[in-house]
Amino acid sequence: MGCLTHTSEHYKPWDGWETVLFKEARKDLFPPDLVNDFDKYQKDLIHLVGISERFSKRECCPNALFLRFEQKYWDYILDYGGIAEYQVSPRGEGPFIYKFSYGQPISNKQQQEIKVSIENKDLVLAYGFLVGVEDGVPVLSGRWIRAIPRHLYSTEVLSYVVKRDKNNKVITTESGLPEIEYTGQ
């Protein structure tokens, strides 16, 4: 976990749905882990952080959008005295797809709102269940995404990676967050 300064604090999920999901979700898994051990993680609620790339609708699923993100590392520290509140590493472990399910067919207005978010390269905190792998990319499904607008995050301040043990498993803190190693700015 990152270091706190007098202008920073640990991330606190929004009240309600995110508080519950953040507490329950696995934060020690990344795209290659999900692809390599698909059967092992299908029942786990998974939390990934990523930058939006694109979305698509599919004929098979009129009540869903398929969103593609590039996973990024984040130390779960908010910095109020710097360039951006969310200082996300430019590093990560590859793409993931999020099947965002609605209870009814998706309206044009909903599609437009998501399109704007994708075009703006919003940062996304996604919570979902592993439901598949497409061309080596893990697919999560759910209805729980928190979008952070582009002006609130930066990938140009800090660079870090997660620490892994000799078996390539992510090392976590007592709170279940990945331990990180700063690699520069």
Side-chain angles (χ1 to χ4, degrees), residues 78-134:
L78 297 176
D79 186 343
Y80 301 110
I83 293 171
E85 290 178 25
Y86 297 78
Q87 296 179 4
V88 179
S89 179
R91 298 174 181 224
E93 296 191 27
F96 67 96
I97 297 169
Y98 192 88
K99 179 183 174 188
F100 193 85
S101 300
Y102 289 80
Q104 57 197 12
I106 299 161
S107 72
N108 288 337
K109 181 181 178 190
Q110 290 168 317
Q111 286 183 61
Q112 187 59 33
E113 289 171 355
I114 291 173
K115 181 180 179 196
V116 168
S117 179
I118 299 291
E119 289 172 350
N120 289 340
K121 298 281 188 189
D122 285 351
L123 181 70
V124 172
L125 310 182
Y127 302 85
F129 294 92
L130 184 62
V131 295
V133 175
E134 294 181 4

